[in-house]
Amino acid sequence: IHAWSVLEDALFRDPLLDDALEAAKSDLVASAVFQEGAPVREFERELYQMLGGAASPWSRDPQGTASSLERASLTALETFRASSYRPGPATVAIVGPVNEGDARRAVAPVGEDPAPALRSGSEAAWENGDRRALRRDVTNSWIGAAFPAPRDFPRTQLAFLAQQMEERLNPSP
């Protein structure tokens, strides 16, 4: 349950730090420049377009390009986080030695927003509204959170923000 409070602070309360953002941006831009023209990047670009269709914004490479990474600003990321990283529409998974009541109290108000319109016949939980409590023996503990993203939000900024959250929760040595 303590893990949720750490995740909750990183997602909803703690401000993004400009120095950390700029350092991460510099590393990602250098990596993008290094990978330009690599055959695997060309393959991935074709794969994304084949899976999502060339017109879909989700067909673009989530790693972005050097120029798209340069455009990722602290203001844009904070604005996206404030509008999209909210507990109400979130989905949370908690695995470990906790009981369901304690877990539900710890993550409130997660999931309290009105349910989105559901698509019948879909197997995806985010489309059919599936919610389950599973009781299984486990050998590890973890917690995860997922949030709906606006369809038109730039994937590079979304991936960059996720990287910032991951770094805050599991800092590099």
Side-chain angles (χ1 to χ4, degrees), residues 134-151:
L134 301 177
R135 288 166 182 78
R136 305 279 192 278
D137 290 333
V138 295
T139 58
N140 202 348
S141 297
W142 57 267
I143 188 169
F147 299 87
R151 182 178 180 88

Side-chain angles (χ1 to χ4, degrees), residues 107-161:
V107 301
V110 166
E112 288 187 355
D113 279 9
L118 304 178
R119 286 180 36 189
S120 64
S122 174
E123 293 184 23
W126 61 88
E127 291 181 337
N128 69 23
D130 193 14
R131 302 287 185 269
R132 301 175 195 195
L134 301 177
R135 288 166 182 78
R136 305 279 192 278
D137 290 333
V138 295
T139 58
N140 202 348
S141 297
W142 57 267
I143 188 169
F147 299 87
R151 182 178 180 88
D152 58 348
F153 190 79
R155 284 187 74 188
T156 300
Q157 290 190 29
L158 182 62
F160 191 36
L161 182 59

Side-chain angles (χ1 to χ4, degrees), residues 19-52:
D19 291 343
L21 185 74
E22 289 304 317
K25 185 189 291 189
S26 177
D27 290 346
L28 290 169
V29 167
S31 177
V33 168
F34 177 78
Q35 293 179 20
E36 280 179 13
V40 69
R41 300 294 296 187
E42 294 299 319
F43 168 78
E44 288 172 345
R45 184 176 6 265
E46 291 296 323
L47 175 65
Y48 295 136
Q49 288 185 6
M50 187 173 69
L51 292 174

Side-chain angles (χ1 to χ4, degrees), residues 88-125:
T91 299
V92 173
I94 300 173
V95 174
V98 297
N99 70 48
E100 185 177 343
D102 289 343
R104 287 185 185 278
R105 282 187 293 281
V107 301
V110 166
E112 288 187 355
D113 279 9
L118 304 178
R119 286 180 36 189
S120 64
S122 174
E123 293 184 23

